[in-house]
Amino acid sequence: MVGDKLQNIAESSVRQFTQQPKYLSVKPATWEALTRHYFAEELASRDEVDSAARSIAADSGVPSDISNDARYYLLLRIQCAHDFLGMVFPPQSDSSPFSDIPESLTDRQATEWLLVNLWVRRFDHWLKITAAGVAGPFAFYGIDPADSDLET
């Protein structure tokens, strides 16, 4: 299954960072600042990540010379693909608002579609959710923090 292949890649080579991700140094550490950072950094590394995604689809694995930035955004793409495949929240997968991957696609085509084409459709959502998860509280969504002493 394509999802299992992506999970194995995420667990092995994709997580082998050689330095801390840049997002850890974003100041101020707010949802807004982090979202702007993610959008700019993802765009700057998009070609490298697309190339790595196509390498994975061709069963060549993750390129050994991939940058830390591209490695991080490749991991986010894999998480986005897992979400689409229903692997993030399996109980909800039967009622997913998305259709299944077309059966006519080979595993290679399906992997490339998940990591390149699907990402283009959903990257803005994923980057915002990732930023909210790191820098919450979730002021953008109108949710108040549980701790009233936290700044919004």
Side-chain angles (χ1 to χ4, degrees), residues 29-45:
T30 63
W31 179 84
E32 295 85 355
L34 193 54
T35 299
R36 283 191 294 277
H37 168 81
Y38 279 147
F39 272 74
E41 192 174 67
E42 190 277 333
L43 184 59
S45 65

Side-chain angles (χ1 to χ4, degrees), residues 4-22:
D4 293 331
K5 172 184 174 180
L6 295 177
Q7 183 62 34
N8 289 335
I9 289 167
E11 289 174 356
S12 62
S13 61
V14 174
R15 293 180 187 244
Q16 297 172 359
F17 293 101
T18 58
Q19 64 190 41
Q20 288 187 333
K22 290 179 184 176

Side-chain angles (χ1 to χ4, degrees), residues 2 101-111:
V2 172
I101 296 173
E103 291 182 18
S104 62
L105 295 181
T106 64
D107 280 355
R108 178 182 180 158
Q109 291 169 325
T111 302

Side-chain angles (χ1 to χ4, degrees), residues 50-93:
D50 284 351
S51 177
R54 289 184 175 96
S55 177
I56 290 169
D59 284 330
S60 300
V62 178
S64 60
D65 62 345
I66 189 171
S67 70
N68 277 334
D69 294 342
R71 190 176 297 274
Y72 180 74
Y73 289 100
L74 183 58
L75 180 58
L76 288 184
R77 288 187 189 202
I78 290 172
Q79 291 172 337
C80 179
H82 282 158
D83 182 42
F84 179 86
L85 293 170
M87 293 176 72
V88 174
F89 301 107
Q92 287 79 26
S93 62

